[in-house]
Amino acid sequence: MNKTVPPGAATLLDFIRETEVGRSDRASYDVIYGHNQAKLPQPLTTMTYGEIVDAQKAWSKRFRSSAAGGYQFMRATLIDLAKQVTSINGKDVFTPDLQDRLAYKLLLRRGYAEFIVGKISLVEFAENLAKEWASFPVLAVTKGSEREIRRGQSYYAGDGLNKALVKPEKVEAVLKEVLDAARRPHEPVEEREARPAPLPVPKPTAKPVRKSGRFWTWLLTAGGTIVTGLKELNLVALDWRVQIAILFVIVVFAVYAITSMPAVRGALGLK
């Protein structure tokens, strides 16, 4: 069951699914009217919302009804729900979770929220459910879609297609259980909207050495220090070849010292 469906509603939806298709397991979500799902090219739960709505056009003539999924959604119902639930689009896969969410929307339409707070009676809510799911019986004498019907009959009795598949006493017992579950304290789980994935933050690129002001500052400072050292040590009186040799050694050492520093190695692009 989808985690956004509250406990009482989850109990009721499991019962509806079992009543409508004869089972409440994972396979119940792939059932179509008359249990003709084996005649489809692929399971319902691998098809998209749009593909199912398109395919249902032919099912009404081929199988006598377009009812699909664990809650036997009619084609007109799916089209209407897609208008109401704006987060759904035709490319969404008709998964069990999606079917649970849609069925919960139908419960709310039929007065589930009013029922659990006592604004409508158990008998009234049961009739609302019977109007949505033809396998459910009404709990009192009422005017059905075709004629006046007795307690225990489908709201659509007399249409030559539908009949109640569960006893009214069972419906009463389940609805009382639903009330108990709905009124127990529980943590609500909100349905999250899809959010775009954050874009990767680009890594800063190392500056070329020629654009590194810090590197040139260090290099010029080192050069000035060398010249100052030569004057202080009075090495200018030595043979020019000796001066060059000493200068070369100092420069090599200075370059090595500078390039061994992490900041300079980063500027040079060295690992």
Side-chain angles (χ1 to χ4, degrees):
M1 182 63 60
N2 183 278
K3 299 300 182 184
T4 63
V5 178
T11 299
L12 181 53
L13 289 182
D14 283 340
F15 178 61
I16 290 172
R17 208 164 62 255
E18 185 171 7
T19 303
E20 282 287 304
V21 303
R23 59 197 305 169
S24 59
D25 57 2
R26 172 63 176 73
S28 65
Y29 294 94
D30 284 308
V31 176
I32 67 169
Y33 181 80
H35 292 269
N36 287 300
Q37 57 271 13
K39 298 176 183 178
L40 301 181
Q42 66 185 93
L44 283 185
T45 51
T46 65
M47 297 171 66
T48 66
Y49 202 95
E51 288 171 341
I52 288 172
V53 170
D54 289 343
Q56 283 177 310
K57 292 179 183 179
W59 295 351
S60 294
K61 183 176 181 180
R62 183 181 179 189
F63 304 126
R64 300 180 63 204
S65 172
S66 64
Y71 305 100
Q72 294 293 276
F73 297 103
M74 304 298 287
R75 183 171 187 266
T77 302
L78 286 182
I79 292 172
D80 193 40
L81 282 170
K83 296 175 183 176
Q84 179 188 354
V85 187
T86 55
S87 60
I88 293 174
N89 65 63
K91 294 182 180 179
D92 287 333
V93 179
F94 204 55
T95 62
D97 265 9
L98 178 56
Q99 293 186 41
D100 291 339
R101 287 170 52 206
L102 294 173
Y104 180 51
K105 294 293 184 184
L106 293 181
L107 285 187
L108 293 175
R109 278 187 181 183
R110 293 299 181 177
Y112 174 78
E114 291 76 12
F115 168 61
I116 63 175
V117 297
K119 287 186 176 181
I120 63 174
S121 70
L122 187 149
V123 172
E124 289 176 292
F125 184 52
E127 183 173 326
N128 290 346
L129 293 178
K131 291 176 181 177
E132 188 68 52
W133 287 284
S135 63
F136 271 56
V138 297
L139 302 183
V141 175
T142 188
K143 176 69 172 66
S145 67
E146 304 293 326
R147 64 190 187 197
E148 186 172 292
I149 52 175
R150 303 184 308 274
R151 168 183 164 89
Q153 288 187 302
S154 168
Y155 183 82
Y156 299 96
D159 68 352
L161 188 65
N162 294 294
K163 64 178 181 178
L165 300 178
V166 63
K167 299 291 185 182
E169 294 78 13
K170 178 63 176 176
V171 174
E172 289 169 334
V174 170
L175 289 182
K176 290 175 182 177
E177 182 183 343
V178 167
L179 273 181
D180 289 340
R183 291 173 177 176
R184 284 195 295 267
H186 67 278
E187 290 293 330
V189 180
E190 294 183 359
E191 185 176 331
R192 296 181 179 178
E193 293 186 2
R195 295 182 178 179
L199 295 175
V201 178
K203 295 181 179 179
T205 55
K207 288 183 178 180
V209 178
R210 67 179 181 275
K211 294 183 180 181
S212 175
R214 183 177 295 180
F215 172 75
W216 289 111
T217 299
W218 288 342
L219 190 59
L220 292 173
T221 300
T225 302
I226 292 169
V227 172
T228 302
L230 289 175
K231 291 181 178 179
E232 291 295 329
L233 295 174
N234 198 27
L235 297 178
V236 294
L238 296 176
D239 183 75
W240 67 273
R241 286 183 291 271
V242 176
Q243 292 181 36
I244 291 175
I246 294 171
L247 182 60
F248 177 78
V249 171
I250 293 173
V251 170
V252 169
F253 179 77
V255 171
Y256 171 76
I258 292 173
T259 56
S260 66
M261 297 176 70
V264 178
R265 293 184 65 83
L268 292 170
L270 301 173
K271 295 182 179 181

